[in-house]
Structures are given as C-alpha cells and as structure tokens.
C-alpha cells in the first residue's frame, strides 16, 4: 500500500472564517506542500484539474512543472486529467514536457471529470462525454507509444504522420483511470489492462465496491493477469487527532461550513451531490469516505473497517527511482533501506507498504490523502 496527496486546488472562502486566500498564495502553497510531502517520504503528489467553480487547477501541467523543479524524488500525478475535454495532441505535448522536466517521475489519472459546466465551456456535448473520453484516451495512448501516427476518429480532425514532441522521458508513463459512479471508466481500464482509481469523495463506501468488483471481473475477462489489476482508493479528506472523538469535534465546524457553502450553491449539481449523502460529520465518518480519526483507528481489531481494508504490518518503504522504467513503461519502484536521518518517517510509516512487491507496482493515489489496495 502506498500514499499520495492530491490537491484539486479548491479556493473558496474558508468554511469557518470566510477568509479568502489570493491565487498566488494558494498556488505557492501547492508547491510548498509537495516539497514537504517529499521530505516526509510520501510516495506521490497529485494535482487535480477543473475548469469551472472556485478552483485554480485549470492548468495542472503548469503546476506540476513547478513542482518538478522544486522536488527530486516524489512521483508526480494528475487527479484527474479531464481527457474528455482536451485535445490529445496538446495533452501529449504538455504531459511529456512534465515527464521530461521531472526526469521520468510522471504518472497520470484520466477521467471525464465531475464538473458538468466544463462541457458547454469547451463547446462539447455532455451526452457524449464517455465517447470523447474513450477516443481521446486511445489516441493519447497511441501518441505516447508511437511516432509517425496516422489517425482517424469521430470527434477530431484526421492526423497524418504525426510525432508529438517531446517524447516521454523513458517510455510511456503509466495511465490510471478514475471512476466515481460509472462502469464505463472501469470497462475502458480493464480493456487495456490499466489500473483504476475509485474516486471516493461523495458516496457510501459500498458503492465503490461494485465498480471494483466489475473492474476485476472485466480485467480477467480481457485476458490480463489478475495479479496486476491494481486499484487505488481515494478519500474525502484526512483529519487526524489523538483520538477519533477529538478529531470529529475539531473537524466538525469545518465540515458543517462546507455543508453550508454547498447549500448556498444549490444550482450546482456537483456541490449539492457532495453533501446530500452525508449531512453530518458522524455520518460522513461512519459510512462515507472522510478519514477523520486517530492514527490507530484502522488497527486490525477496529471493526468499523472491512477486514480487507485493515492495515497489516509493514515490511519496508519503496520509492520510484527517477528515470527507471520497466519494459511496460511503468516507473519501477526500488526497495529502500532504513533511513538513519528519519527524514522519511511519517505518522503512517507503519502502513506505507504491505508485503513483498512486484517490479511493476505503481504508486497509489486518491483524494487529499490516499490509501490504495493492490489486488
């Protein structure tokens, strides 16, 4: 199991104080947090993408370029690249530039996004969002792997003898598929043998198990090795205190402020959807994706967690070696010995990695703070 921090770079007024952070300061914090995450030994840092609402992540590759120059080891990712609204040619150019700047530390997660306002913004038909996603992914995949590409599809002009530059640093980087509610994304991932991320931020946890089960069934049905059906699980935020009760009480005013903000935006289906399932912090912690509690709340005897999600003893910590890729184009993690300086120890160090890992294992990701299972 590995951990990633994801920042979608939301920038509304603070839900309790109402304070507004300037865009320059907010973006600076993203880079500073990525640097801190690397110092603490977090495996990966991800930047989201949104094109509507009170967010500053409309240009995630620009932000990742800044992070690439400020860090040396940490894997970089997107969460998600809204590929359904992007030109795959331009996406390949931007993403490969980040891959070169970071010397092979890039992975991405693709998806259609959950912001309905972005489709009219780009002059696209929301009814075709999965059609766009499928075609754009297959073209992007081809552009990353091949040169002198000829292409004809339904939603963009024909390409003839196209080679996008720059090329990936050391073979095509890994692509994960983000899925929150639809089987279409997991089916696409299963068809191509790619990993998935369950973008758990809005619904009861059991809803995501349905998609995970379908993914694993379809993955095997397409002839892929079931042992490589990697799954990422996102959270709806992480807030820790000495006890679970203390964490809930300290987080309560923030959560209630978020609910009030969403209620004031009832015209926004996305904002409403974030709170209708979990109106109270207790409900969000008990049934939803919010990770609010003490560091020991997930120990084995804690019956609130399904058995398969209860932590086991760690045997080591892995990191990705910049520039090292497997024959499949995946960053190859290498076993790291003890860290005498303690710089890589974290509060969750004993749950960072589970068991022995295969050479092609990737970094897991999620929302705000992620915990990933692998099979």
């Amino acid at each position: 199991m590995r951990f990633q921090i994801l920042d979608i770079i939301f920038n509304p007024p603070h839900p309790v104080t109402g304070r507004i952070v300037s865009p320059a300061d907010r973006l600076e914090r993203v880079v500073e947090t990525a640097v801190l995450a690397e110092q603490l030994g977090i495996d990966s840092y991800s930047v989201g993408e949104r094109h509507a609402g009170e967010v500053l992540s409309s240009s995630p590759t620009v932000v990742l370029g800044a992070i690439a120059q400020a860090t040396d080891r940490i894997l970089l990712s997107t969460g998600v690249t809204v590929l359904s609204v992007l030109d795959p040619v331009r996406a390949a150019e931007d993403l490969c530039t980040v891959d070169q700047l970071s010397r092979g530390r890039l992975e991405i997660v693709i998806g259609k996004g959950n912001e309905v306002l972005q489709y009219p913004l780009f002059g696209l038909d929301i009814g075709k969002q999965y059609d766009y996603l499928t075609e754009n992914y297959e073209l992007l995949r081809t552009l990353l792997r091949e040169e002198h590409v000829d292409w004809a599809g339904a939603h963009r002009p024909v390409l003839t003898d196209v080679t996008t530059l720059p090329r990936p640093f050391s073979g095509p980087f890994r692509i994960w598929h983000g899925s929150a509610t639809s089987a279409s994304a997991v089916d696409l991932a299963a068809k191509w043998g790619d990993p998935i991320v369950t973008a758990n931020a809005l619904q009861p946890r059991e809803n995501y198990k349905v998609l995970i089960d379908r993914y694993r069934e379809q993955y095997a049905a397409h002839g892929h090795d079931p042992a490589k059906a990697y799954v990422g699980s996102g959270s709806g935020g992480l807030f820790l205190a000495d006890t679970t009760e203390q964490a809930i009480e300290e987080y309560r005013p923030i959560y209630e402020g978020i609910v009030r903000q969403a209620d004031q935006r009832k015209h926004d289906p996305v904002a409403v959807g974030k709170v209708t399932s979990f109106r109270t912090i207790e409900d969000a912690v008990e049934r939803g994706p919010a990770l609010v509690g003490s560091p020991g709340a997930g120990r084995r005897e804690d019956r609130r967690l399904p058995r398969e999600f209860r932590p086991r003893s760690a045997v080591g910590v892995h990191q990705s070696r910049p520039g090292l890729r497997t024959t499949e184009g995946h960053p190859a993690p290498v076993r790291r010995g003890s860290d005498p300086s303690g710089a890589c120890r974290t509060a969750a160090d004993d749950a960072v990695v589970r068991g022995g890992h295969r050479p092609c294992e990737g970094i897991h990701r999620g929302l705000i703070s992620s915990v990933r299972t692998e099979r």
Side-chain angles (χ1 to χ4, degrees):
M1 187 178 292
R2 298 194 180 187
F3 293 87
Q4 180 186 76
I5 295 174
L6 164 63
D7 195 340
I8 303 180
I9 322 186
F10 290 114
N11 200 38
H14 190 281
V16 177
T17 67
R19 180 170 177 255
I20 298 175
V21 178
S22 72
D25 288 344
R26 181 68 176 87
L27 289 168
E28 184 178 30
R29 289 181 185 179
V30 177
V31 179
E32 291 175 345
T33 303
V35 172
L36 177 60
E38 178 173 84
Q39 293 171 350
L40 293 174
I42 300 297
D43 299 286
S44 178
Y45 195 89
S46 180
V47 175
E49 179 177 342
R50 289 287 185 92
H51 296 280
E54 294 173 309
V55 290
L56 303 175
S57 55
S58 58
S59 300
T61 52
V62 175
V63 180
L64 287 173
I67 294 173
Q69 294 301 289
T71 58
D72 298 306
R73 176 199 62 81
I74 195 166
L75 194 67
L76 307 180
S77 186
T78 60
V80 301
T81 294
V82 188
L83 196 56
S84 53
V85 302
L86 302 180
D87 179 348
V89 173
R90 186 55 193 266
E93 294 171 340
D94 288 348
L95 292 166
C96 288
T97 299
V98 175
D99 197 35
Q100 290 286 344
L101 285 170
S102 65
R103 295 186 178 273
R105 288 187 283 140
L106 182 70
E107 291 187 352
I108 67 170
V109 183
I110 66 164
K112 68 174 184 61
N114 66 352
E115 175 54 75
V116 297
L117 298 179
Q118 62 197 357
Y119 288 91
L121 182 65
F122 287 98
L124 298 172
D125 180 0
I126 192 172
K128 298 179 180 178
Q129 55 187 327
Y130 286 107
D131 296 332
Y132 298 143
L133 179 63
T134 299
E135 180 173 299
N136 289 352
Y137 164 70
E138 292 178 354
L139 176 53
L140 176 64
R141 190 177 192 278
T142 300
L143 292 170
L144 295 178
R145 284 165 171 75
E146 300 177 16
E147 301 181 9
H148 308 290
V149 172
D150 296 326
W151 175 269
H155 303 295
R156 61 149 296 125
V158 171
L159 296 178
T160 303
D161 193 25
V162 170
T163 300
T164 55
L165 295 175
R167 304 301 298 155
F169 180 79
S170 181
F173 42 79
R174 185 182 305 210
I175 298 178
W176 299 70
H177 297 246
S179 175
T181 58
S182 172
S184 297
V186 299
D187 288 351
L188 182 62
K191 173 184 176 181
W192 292 101
D194 295 331
I196 66 166
V197 175
T198 60
N200 190 346
L202 308 178
Q203 302 182 63
R205 290 187 289 268
E206 58 267 21
N207 290 14
Y208 295 91
K209 186 177 185 302
V210 175
L211 294 175
I212 293 171
D213 290 344
R214 179 185 178 95
Y215 165 68
R216 288 172 172 156
E217 292 170 0
Q218 292 296 313
Y219 191 94
H222 282 287
H224 304 297
D225 181 358
K228 295 183 179 179
Y230 302 130
V231 175
S233 176
S235 79
L238 174 68
F239 190 93
L240 298 177
D242 290 338
T243 67
T244 296
E245 293 74 16
Q246 179 185 350
I248 290 174
E249 289 310 309
E250 290 182 1
Y251 190 64
R252 182 185 304 279
I254 298 174
Y255 188 83
E256 291 177 349
I258 293 172
V259 170
R260 286 193 299 272
Q261 286 182 339
D263 284 345
Q264 294 168 2
R265 299 178 175 87
K266 290 189 180 296
H267 64 282
D268 180 353
V270 174
V272 173
K274 288 181 179 178
V275 296
T276 50
S277 294
F278 312 111
R279 300 295 297 178
T280 68
I281 181 60
E282 287 82 4
D283 198 22
V285 171
E286 179 67 24
R287 301 191 306 114
L291 300 179
V292 178
S294 68
R299 59 185 182 270
R300 281 188 175 187
E301 61 269 26
D302 190 337
R303 301 301 175 183
R304 293 176 302 171
L305 289 175
R307 182 171 298 277
E308 60 268 27
F309 293 131
R310 295 177 198 164
R312 296 164 290 172
S313 298
V315 298
V317 177
H318 286 62
Q319 71 180 30
S320 283
R321 179 181 299 165
L324 178 62
R325 286 222 166 98
T326 67
T327 55
E328 295 177 334
H330 300 161
V334 293
R335 173 80 57 180
R336 181 170 58 201
S338 61
D339 177 27
S341 69
C344 293
R345 299 292 295 179
T346 71
D349 196 58
D350 289 335
V352 173
V353 177
R354 316 286 189 220
H357 287 258
R358 295 169 297 280
C360 287
E361 284 178 8
I363 302 298
H364 300 297
R365 50 149 292 115
L367 179 61
I368 308 304
S369 175
S370 62
V371 180
R372 295 193 176 184
T373 60
E374 292 169 351
R375 284 198 295 271

